[in-house]
Amino acid sequence: MTLEFAVAAALFAGVVAYALFGGADFGSGFHDLTAGGARRGAPLRTLIDHSIGPVWEANHVWLIYVMVMWWTGFPESFAAAMTTLYVPFVLALVGIVLRGASFAFRKYSETLWQAKLFGVIFATSSVLAPFFLGTIVGALASGRVPAGGNGDPWSSWINPTALFTGVISVGTCAFLAATFLTADAARRGETALAAQLRIRSLVVGLATGIVVFAGLIPIERDAPTFWDGLTGRAAPVMALSALGGIATLVLLWRKRFGPARLTAVVAVAAVMAGWGIGQYPWVLVDQVSIAEGAGATATLQGLLAAVGIAAVIVGPALGYLFYLTQSPEWNGEVRGGVQAGEGAGRGASHWSGRLGN
């Protein structure tokens, strides 16, 4: 394994981690957006606040990691992407910033209309951010970013491959979030909410699966190099993704919510791995390969050393954070003799109680 490939693999591992952890985070906004009015949507929004509250900032560590690895490890391709795809990059960044700010402000809103305003901003930006991030992925995979940069700022990401990738990104985030939230609701004893989310997960999962495979149709003509990789060396991984998605739907149908989370992770991770394998060996498809776009040897060695240090220091901290959010104490399964469902009811009243303000 070459040094360049090792750095590219470490970078792509961060992309997969962001797709899984950040994706579930973004996907919660889709369900917040479609939860209904203040009273009807109160239980679901309370669950979303509880589930993503401790981790929504931590998830963006992966985005920072990916960007730093990209611009230091493969600087010329990073510059080319930034000078070509600055429109979707800026829109995605605006979505991430607005999402984080509105999520925090919503918690401290004094009136219902303020909570609604920040809630709409949070939910809408949670959908727009992964969409524009997906269009960036599609633009890179379709070979529309020239090696010298300064490509067309509009047609580079407004095309069949990029737009389908954006839609798929939103769908996979929503599916992952619905599966996670269903398990959270069931663990907290909120059976009615778990049943509602189970139906959401099944519907979103079926719709996303259809879009994923329908999206392969225009890719064949719009991105032939990427298509050859997908249907060639990446075909087994894409098949694994399909099996993971089907297994998740079956487990959700049978109300096996815990195992369904694992198969959903496999399905989404396999989709991302399929993209990476399908695009290999290109950083910018048909323009710059991994070997051609890599930075200086000393820089690549330093990056790998930094990744190793981060894995030892940051990795366990993030793992412990996620462990705590899944613990019975945090989820209030039995807190001071009060059942989880009762605590959730009080949380929902936090929303519906604003109706009188």
Side-chain angles (χ1 to χ4, degrees):
M1 182 174 62
T2 64
L3 182 62
E4 296 87 353
F5 177 81
V7 174
L11 187 158
F12 191 71
V15 173
V16 175
Y18 188 56
L20 292 174
F21 298 110
D25 197 357
F26 283 128
S28 64
F30 171 85
H31 299 290
D32 192 297
L33 185 65
T34 58
R39 192 180 300 276
R40 178 187 170 194
L44 178 52
R45 292 190 176 102
T46 299
L47 177 66
I48 290 171
D49 285 354
H50 176 89
S51 296
I52 72 173
V55 298
W56 66 278
E57 288 184 296
N59 288 329
H60 292 300
V61 167
W62 299 110
L63 179 60
I64 298 169
Y65 167 88
V66 169
M67 299 301 282
V68 171
M69 289 285 289
W70 188 7
W71 84 54
T72 52
F74 305 91
E76 292 183 1
S77 64
F78 181 84
M82 286 296 168
T83 56
T84 301
L85 301 173
Y86 56 85
V87 174
F89 267 114
V90 168
L91 292 174
L93 178 61
V94 169
I96 291 172
V97 172
L98 288 178
R99 179 183 185 276
S102 57
F103 180 71
F105 292 154
R106 184 172 71 171
K107 289 177 176 290
Y108 301 101
S109 299
E110 296 182 354
T111 62
L112 179 62
W113 75 266
Q114 290 176 338
K116 282 184 174 181
L117 173 62
F118 290 123
V120 168
I121 296 174
F122 162 73
T124 304
S125 56
S126 294
V127 173
L128 293 179
F131 173 78
F132 288 116
L133 289 173
T135 63
I136 293 168
V137 171
L140 295 173
S142 62
R144 286 183 167 86
V145 178
N150 297 301
D152 191 288
W154 300 104
S155 64
S156 58
W157 64 278
I158 302 178
N159 56 74
T161 300
L163 294 177
F164 264 108
T165 306
V167 173
I168 290 169
S169 177
V170 174
T172 52
C173 289
F175 175 55
L176 200 58
T179 306
F180 284 10
L181 288 170
T182 303
D184 285 348
R187 187 173 58 249
R188 287 165 58 83
E190 302 177 54
T191 54
L193 183 56
Q196 173 190 340
L197 284 165
R198 171 175 169 264
I199 300 300
R200 278 176 171 266
S201 301
L202 291 169
V203 172
V204 171
L206 285 171
T208 302
I210 293 171
V211 171
V212 166
F213 289 97
L216 295 177
I217 297 173
I219 290 177
E220 181 178 7
R221 292 186 177 181
D222 192 58
T225 301
F226 183 50
W227 168 261
D228 290 341
L230 282 179
T231 56
R233 55 184 171 271
V237 183
M238 297 302 292
L240 175 63
S241 175
L243 291 175
I246 294 170
T248 303
L249 295 177
V250 171
L251 289 169
L252 287 169
W253 182 261
R254 299 182 62 184
K255 300 182 180 180
R256 300 287 303 278
F257 302 135
R261 293 192 305 178
L262 298 178
T263 54
V265 167
V266 170
V268 175
V271 165
M272 297 302 299
W275 162 52
I277 295 171
Q279 184 170 322
Y280 180 82
W282 303 101
V283 180
L284 305 177
V285 172
D286 294 332
Q287 301 290 328
V288 180
S289 68
I290 291 174
E292 294 169 344
T297 299
T299 301
L300 299 181
Q301 292 172 339
L303 281 174
L304 288 181
V307 169
I309 294 171
V312 173
I313 298 176
V314 180
L318 286 175
Y320 186 57
L321 173 63
F322 287 116
Y323 166 77
L324 289 178
T325 62
Q326 299 299 308
S327 65
E329 292 79 6
W330 171 258
N331 285 280
E333 292 176 7
V334 178
R335 185 180 298 164
V338 179
Q339 295 300 316
E342 299 173 18
R346 286 198 300 271
S349 67
H350 173 68
W351 290 93
S352 57
R354 290 176 174 156
L355 291 169
N357 294 337

